[in-house]
Amino acid sequence: MKKSIKIIGSGFSSLAAACYLAQQGHNVTVYEKNATIGGRARQLKKDGFTFDIGPTWYWMPDVFERFFADFNKKPSDYYELIKLSPAYSVYFGEREFITIANNLDEIIATFETIEKGSGAELREFIDEAKSNYDIAIKDLVYRPGESPIELVTPQTMMKMGQFFGNISKDIRKRFKNKKLVQVLEFPVLFLGAKPSDTPSFYSFMNYADFGLGTWHPKGGMYNVILAMETLAKELGVTIKTNSNIEKIGVKDGRATHLVVNGSTVEADVIVTGADYHHSETLLDEEYRGYSEKYWEKRTFAPSSLLFYVGFDKKITNTEHHTLFFDTDFDIHAKDIYDIPKWPEEPLFYASFPSKTDNDAAPEGCEAGIFLIPLAPGLEDTTELRDRYFEKIITRFEKLTQQEVKRHIMVKESFCVNDFVKEYNSYKGNAYGLANTLFQTAFLRPKLKSSKVKNLYFTGQLTVPGPGVPPALISGKLVAGLVAKHSFKDNKTTEIPSL
């Protein structure tokens, strides 16, 4: 039965849900509060420079392929994909860095030169990680988190011990060199928690890194958003920007309408890809599935302080993606997760898309994106932003042996206050809920409201978790639940006479 489905937000999960629901034959409209689509994956253009505001890493290309294949399409129908070579580099001090190649054999050789015997250990570790990847990404993450039974398969039973171990211990059993340990712990940071709090099973992220490689969509990650917009419109989806949702209306326990810019819009089904906590504040309190106390107790992935910087010269001694681990990782992690505060000496990350993509900067110039992970909910002021930019850019100059400060043409920043303002993000988090043991699968906030019929949630605070590939999967999962439950939810129950 064709339904009128309204979707809140236009990030990866919302656009994915829109495509699948339109494919089912429904009348789908997407509402975006900002002037441009993309949610956290929007784009900044200034003075000839182009920056991805949000995600900059393209991992798990098979998930993108699977998404487009569901519509008999390929990513190449919409954008050009470039495999980065090398994938990235990691600085540990002045002239002290490790370059990660674009293939496993070369990475193994690099490890072996740093720690004798580590090459063989790495091959065995990645073989195990691939096994986990095949179980997780090809199967488990495509389950909607409705029941713990979803996790019980012959394959997962064999891996059960890995749900109770942690990545940090596993890596340290195999590798002694601190630099190699940090390189191997890096991928799980995308899951939003400390490696010591991340179950061993999530080593599949190491296979995503070393096994599948790091890619760049020409034009940036925003081109993936534009591809999904094109696909959605081809499927008949209507997308409306500058459309702020003020309320989710409920009648007789069923979601019935949205209040958009002061006007009421009727709906048979509502799907929200906005921040889960914020989405529930759009409901009257009696219809909220999770209390404020619940959200306070969750482990959130970090927020970020981001800088978008245009240089009037080319930057040397860096790759497209470069990590700066020249300060103590454990101390910075404590400042995010244990006793939240601004870190004294933060680790940071830099991306230079114009090294791969000439259109990202004017000729002879470089576009740079700098990111410092932060605890969500911190004080955010112009003075703090300026102080931390000075910290990292001074270290950047020293580590990469070049002068860059006086070559800055463009500088914009984005931090906790912006995540709240632009995305209604809970405490200004950037990546949603961390994937810890007790925030995995059926233990995450549900895709389907427990209190309101025909109301669904998608995105990084629900199943399967943070990151762009999981967002695509989340959109597919919620569309599947709409197909499974919405007819049942609309059936009326005849009350017998007494």
Side-chain angles (χ1 to χ4, degrees), residues 55-85:
T56 55
W57 292 78
Y58 191 107
W59 273 7
M60 304 182 189
D62 53 319
V63 175
F64 294 85
E65 290 164 8
R66 185 167 173 176
F67 168 76
F68 285 105
D70 284 341
F71 305 94
N72 296 314
K73 301 286 187 179
K74 303 185 295 295
S76 59
D77 292 332
Y78 299 97
Y79 55 88
E80 179 185 347
L81 203 54
I82 303 162
K83 189 173 188 182
L84 298 182
S85 180

Side-chain angles (χ1 to χ4, degrees), residues 147-194:
S147 163
I149 300 301
E150 294 173 5
L151 298 180
V152 182
T153 70
Q155 293 81 9
T156 56
M157 292 305 292
M158 293 173 62
K159 303 274 187 178
M160 192 55 65
Q162 293 193 32
F163 287 94
F164 298 98
N166 70 71
I167 286 284
S168 184
K169 284 184 179 178
D170 292 349
I171 290 172
R172 282 167 169 75
K173 285 178 185 176
R174 292 177 177 272
F175 306 93
K176 304 306 177 189
N177 183 277
K178 186 176 180 180
K179 298 182 182 67
L180 298 185
V181 168
Q182 286 186 299
V183 168
L184 288 167
E185 286 184 337
F186 154 66
V188 302
L189 298 179
F190 284 99
L191 301 171
K194 291 189 294 186

Side-chain angles (χ1 to χ4, degrees), residues 237-254:
V237 175
T238 299
I239 299 176
K240 296 185 177 183
T241 55
N242 296 308
S243 299
N244 185 47
I245 307 301
E246 296 160 0
K247 188 175 181 64
I248 298 173
V250 179
K251 184 177 180 181
D252 298 328
R254 181 175 288 116

Side-chain angles (χ1 to χ4, degrees), residues 331-351:
I331 292 175
H332 190 167
K334 286 179 182 178
D335 292 340
I336 295 173
Y337 296 103
D338 300 338
I339 307 172
K341 64 177 183 177
W342 280 84
E344 287 300 318
E345 295 297 336
L347 285 74
F348 67 99
Y349 151 71
S351 173

Side-chain angles (χ1 to χ4, degrees), residues 74-236:
K74 303 185 295 295
S76 59
D77 292 332
Y78 299 97
Y79 55 88
E80 179 185 347
L81 203 54
I82 303 162
K83 189 173 188 182
L84 298 182
S85 180
Y88 56 91
S89 62
V90 186
Y91 269 90
F92 299 96
E94 289 182 60
R95 300 176 184 171
E96 188 181 1
F97 60 89
I98 295 175
T99 299
I100 302 301
N102 74 343
N103 65 88
L104 182 58
D105 287 340
E106 287 188 53
I107 298 169
I108 287 170
T110 297
F111 269 52
E112 190 64 28
T113 64
I114 296 169
E115 180 182 321
K116 188 172 177 58
S118 66
E121 287 285 355
L122 180 61
R123 190 176 294 280
E124 184 177 309
F125 179 69
I126 295 300
D127 284 345
E128 293 175 7
K130 182 182 185 303
S131 172
N132 289 353
Y133 189 91
D134 289 341
I135 294 169
I137 304 302
K138 296 180 181 179
D139 185 15
L140 288 185
V141 295
Y142 285 91
R143 301 184 182 194
E146 291 189 294
S147 163
I149 300 301
E150 294 173 5
L151 298 180
V152 182
T153 70
Q155 293 81 9
T156 56
M157 292 305 292
M158 293 173 62
K159 303 274 187 178
M160 192 55 65
Q162 293 193 32
F163 287 94
F164 298 98
N166 70 71
I167 286 284
S168 184
K169 284 184 179 178
D170 292 349
I171 290 172
R172 282 167 169 75
K173 285 178 185 176
R174 292 177 177 272
F175 306 93
K176 304 306 177 189
N177 183 277
K178 186 176 180 180
K179 298 182 182 67
L180 298 185
V181 168
Q182 286 186 299
V183 168
L184 288 167
E185 286 184 337
F186 154 66
V188 302
L189 298 179
F190 284 99
L191 301 171
K194 291 189 294 186
S196 58
D197 291 333
T198 302
S200 303
F201 183 71
Y202 284 103
S203 67
F204 63 71
M205 292 297 294
N206 293 102
Y207 176 71
D209 180 3
F210 290 176
L212 297 176
T214 303
W215 302 74
H216 174 73
K218 187 171 174 56
M221 289 295 288
Y222 193 65
N223 263 14
V224 184
I225 287 289
L226 295 179
M228 296 177 71
E229 177 192 32
T230 300
L231 174 60
K233 288 182 175 179
E234 290 170 349
L235 292 164

